[in-house]
Amino acid sequence: MLEVTKTHEKGCEYLVARRSLTDGTIVLFFSKNTGIVIKTSPDSETIFGDISNDWISCSDNTIWEPVDITITG
């Protein structure tokens, strides 16, 4: 289960989650440009579970907004 709990203004520390400002996709980043899609939206072309090493930097606030998440299993 994935729950977005709040947003914050904190800098980029890893692991971090970021929500795309264009389509709402949420990516869990392992480093500045490496991450996995953990939530998609109907408007998104990304697929849940996609991993990429060349995402636009998670610190680019014109593309991403920070989100806090809780992951339970």
Side-chain angles (χ1 to χ4, degrees):
M1 181 172 93
L2 170 70
E3 174 188 354
V4 177
T5 55
K6 66 178 180 175
T7 62
H8 61 82
E9 300 299 323
K10 212 168 150 178
C12 199
E13 298 172 12
Y14 308 105
L15 298 168
V16 295
R18 297 291 187 256
R19 180 185 300 128
S20 168
L21 295 173
T22 57
D23 66 9
T25 296
I26 297 178
V27 175
L28 182 62
F29 283 89
F30 308 115
S31 68
K32 185 176 179 179
N33 300 94
T34 302
I36 184 170
V37 176
I38 58 173
K39 185 174 183 186
T40 60
S41 70
D43 299 330
S44 175
E45 295 181 8
T46 58
I47 299 171
F48 178 84
D50 275 356
I51 298 174
S52 177
N53 294 320
D54 60 353
W55 290 105
I56 295 172
S57 171
C58 66
S59 59
D60 185 337
N61 62 5
T62 65
I63 302 297
W64 306 104
E65 68 177 341
V67 291
D68 285 339
I69 60 169
T70 302
I71 300 174
T72 59

